[in-house]
PDB file of all heavy atoms in Angstrom:
ATOM      1  N   LEU A 594      -9.572   5.684   1.687  1.00  0.00           N
ATOM      2  CA  LEU A 594      -8.116   5.708   1.963  1.00  0.00           C
ATOM      3  C   LEU A 594      -7.844   5.390   3.372  1.00  0.00           C
ATOM      4  O   LEU A 594      -8.446   5.954   4.206  1.00  0.00           O
ATOM      5  CB  LEU A 594      -7.489   7.087   1.595  1.00  0.00           C
ATOM      6  CG  LEU A 594      -5.999   7.184   1.821  1.00  0.00           C
ATOM      7  CD1 LEU A 594      -5.148   6.188   0.973  1.00  0.00           C
ATOM      8  CD2 LEU A 594      -5.573   8.648   1.478  1.00  0.00           C
ATOM      9  N   TYR A 595      -6.961   4.465   3.697  1.00  0.00           N
ATOM     10  CA  TYR A 595      -6.671   4.070   5.035  1.00  0.00           C
ATOM     11  C   TYR A 595      -5.114   4.272   5.197  1.00  0.00           C
ATOM     12  O   TYR A 595      -4.375   4.075   4.262  1.00  0.00           O
ATOM     13  CB  TYR A 595      -6.945   2.617   5.333  1.00  0.00           C
ATOM     14  CG  TYR A 595      -8.400   2.302   5.412  1.00  0.00           C
ATOM     15  CD1 TYR A 595      -9.246   1.966   4.277  1.00  0.00           C
ATOM     16  CD2 TYR A 595      -9.065   2.385   6.616  1.00  0.00           C
ATOM     17  CE1 TYR A 595     -10.530   1.805   4.275  1.00  0.00           C
ATOM     18  CE2 TYR A 595     -10.381   2.085   6.697  1.00  0.00           C
ATOM     19  CZ  TYR A 595     -11.176   1.763   5.512  1.00  0.00           C
ATOM     20  OH  TYR A 595     -12.543   1.581   5.670  1.00  0.00           O
ATOM     21  N   PHE A 596      -4.701   4.638   6.422  1.00  0.00           N
ATOM     22  CA  PHE A 596      -3.340   4.759   6.825  1.00  0.00           C
ATOM     23  C   PHE A 596      -3.069   3.749   7.881  1.00  0.00           C
ATOM     24  O   PHE A 596      -3.888   3.511   8.715  1.00  0.00           O
ATOM     25  CB  PHE A 596      -3.010   6.167   7.301  1.00  0.00           C
ATOM     26  CG  PHE A 596      -3.041   7.163   6.219  1.00  0.00           C
ATOM     27  CD1 PHE A 596      -4.091   7.834   5.850  1.00  0.00           C
ATOM     28  CD2 PHE A 596      -1.806   7.472   5.474  1.00  0.00           C
ATOM     29  CE1 PHE A 596      -4.170   8.808   4.862  1.00  0.00           C
ATOM     30  CE2 PHE A 596      -1.906   8.381   4.411  1.00  0.00           C
ATOM     31  CZ  PHE A 596      -3.005   9.062   4.183  1.00  0.00           C
ATOM     32  N   SER A 597      -1.958   3.173   7.856  1.00  0.00           N
ATOM     33  CA  SER A 597      -1.614   2.213   8.876  1.00  0.00           C
ATOM     34  C   SER A 597      -0.120   2.206   9.183  1.00  0.00           C
ATOM     35  O   SER A 597       0.676   2.778   8.355  1.00  0.00           O
ATOM     36  CB  SER A 597      -2.028   0.748   8.459  1.00  0.00           C
ATOM     37  OG  SER A 597      -1.917  -0.114   9.557  1.00  0.00           O
ATOM     38  N   ASP A 598       0.255   1.559  10.337  1.00  0.00           N
ATOM     39  CA  ASP A 598       1.648   1.534  10.695  1.00  0.00           C
ATOM     40  C   ASP A 598       2.002   0.081  10.903  1.00  0.00           C
ATOM     41  O   ASP A 598       1.240  -0.794  11.204  1.00  0.00           O
ATOM     42  CB  ASP A 598       1.833   2.257  12.085  1.00  0.00           C
ATOM     43  CG  ASP A 598       1.598   3.725  11.982  1.00  0.00           C
ATOM     44  OD1 ASP A 598       2.291   4.393  11.133  1.00  0.00           O
ATOM     45  OD2 ASP A 598       0.759   4.246  12.734  1.00  0.00           O
ATOM     46  N   SER A 599       3.299  -0.195  10.573  1.00  0.00           N
ATOM     47  CA  SER A 599       3.809  -1.528  10.798  1.00  0.00           C
ATOM     48  C   SER A 599       5.025  -1.470  11.664  1.00  0.00           C
ATOM     49  O   SER A 599       5.907  -0.614  11.352  1.00  0.00           O
ATOM     50  CB  SER A 599       4.171  -2.151   9.424  1.00  0.00           C
ATOM     51  OG  SER A 599       4.854  -3.417   9.645  1.00  0.00           O
ATOM     52  N   PRO A 600       5.207  -2.329  12.610  1.00  0.00           N
ATOM     53  CA  PRO A 600       6.371  -2.304  13.453  1.00  0.00           C
ATOM     54  C   PRO A 600       7.629  -2.853  12.745  1.00  0.00           C
ATOM     55  O   PRO A 600       8.660  -2.911  13.425  1.00  0.00           O
ATOM     56  CB  PRO A 600       5.937  -3.196  14.701  1.00  0.00           C
ATOM     57  CG  PRO A 600       4.900  -4.078  14.118  1.00  0.00           C
ATOM     58  CD  PRO A 600       4.235  -3.386  12.992  1.00  0.00           C
ATOM     59  N   ARG A 601       7.498  -3.309  11.466  1.00  0.00           N
ATOM     60  CA  ARG A 601       8.634  -3.973  10.856  1.00  0.00           C
ATOM     61  C   ARG A 601       9.683  -2.942  10.551  1.00  0.00           C
ATOM     62  O   ARG A 601       9.480  -1.843  10.229  1.00  0.00           O
ATOM     63  CB  ARG A 601       8.027  -4.526   9.506  1.00  0.00           C
ATOM     64  CG  ARG A 601       7.007  -5.606   9.748  1.00  0.00           C
ATOM     65  CD  ARG A 601       6.523  -6.036   8.411  1.00  0.00           C
ATOM     66  NE  ARG A 601       7.432  -6.900   7.769  1.00  0.00           N
ATOM     67  CZ  ARG A 601       7.128  -7.517   6.713  1.00  0.00           C
ATOM     68  NH1 ARG A 601       5.954  -7.475   6.095  1.00  0.00           N
ATOM     69  NH2 ARG A 601       8.012  -8.336   6.154  1.00  0.00           N
ATOM     70  N   ASP A 602      10.956  -3.443  10.729  1.00  0.00           N
ATOM     71  CA  ASP A 602      12.092  -2.674  10.331  1.00  0.00           C
ATOM     72  C   ASP A 602      12.458  -3.187   8.954  1.00  0.00           C
ATOM     73  O   ASP A 602      13.088  -4.293   8.828  1.00  0.00           O
ATOM     74  CB  ASP A 602      13.189  -2.841  11.390  1.00  0.00           C
ATOM     75  CG  ASP A 602      14.467  -2.111  10.929  1.00  0.00           C
ATOM     76  OD1 ASP A 602      14.468  -1.226   9.983  1.00  0.00           O
ATOM     77  OD2 ASP A 602      15.435  -2.323  11.647  1.00  0.00           O
ATOM     78  N   ASP A 603      12.296  -2.496   7.930  1.00  0.00           N
ATOM     79  CA  ASP A 603      12.556  -2.961   6.655  1.00  0.00           C
ATOM     80  C   ASP A 603      13.953  -2.650   6.110  1.00  0.00           C
ATOM     81  O   ASP A 603      14.227  -2.814   4.932  1.00  0.00           O
ATOM     82  CB  ASP A 603      11.450  -2.415   5.571  1.00  0.00           C
ATOM     83  CG  ASP A 603      11.499  -0.865   5.472  1.00  0.00           C
ATOM     84  OD1 ASP A 603      12.004  -0.286   6.398  1.00  0.00           O
ATOM     85  OD2 ASP A 603      11.132  -0.375   4.466  1.00  0.00           O
ATOM     86  N   LYS A 604      14.754  -2.129   6.983  1.00  0.00           N
ATOM     87  CA  LYS A 604      16.153  -1.775   6.638  1.00  0.00           C
ATOM     88  C   LYS A 604      16.249  -0.892   5.428  1.00  0.00           C
ATOM     89  O   LYS A 604      17.131  -1.166   4.545  1.00  0.00           O
ATOM     90  CB  LYS A 604      16.926  -3.041   6.418  1.00  0.00           C
ATOM     91  CG  LYS A 604      16.990  -3.803   7.699  1.00  0.00           C
ATOM     92  CD  LYS A 604      17.792  -5.122   7.487  1.00  0.00           C
ATOM     93  CE  LYS A 604      17.957  -5.993   8.684  1.00  0.00           C
ATOM     94  NZ  LYS A 604      16.909  -6.788   9.078  1.00  0.00           N
ATOM     95  N   GLY A 605      15.514   0.146   5.373  1.00  0.00           N
ATOM     96  CA  GLY A 605      15.526   1.047   4.195  1.00  0.00           C
ATOM     97  C   GLY A 605      14.272   1.592   3.924  1.00  0.00           C
ATOM     98  O   GLY A 605      13.238   0.998   4.098  1.00  0.00           O
TER      99      GLY A 605
END
Side-chain angles (χ1 to χ4, degrees):
L594 179 62
Y595 290 88
F596 290 89
S597 191
D598 295 305
S599 174
R601 299 172 76 171
D602 180 7
D603 64 335
K604 297 181 176 81

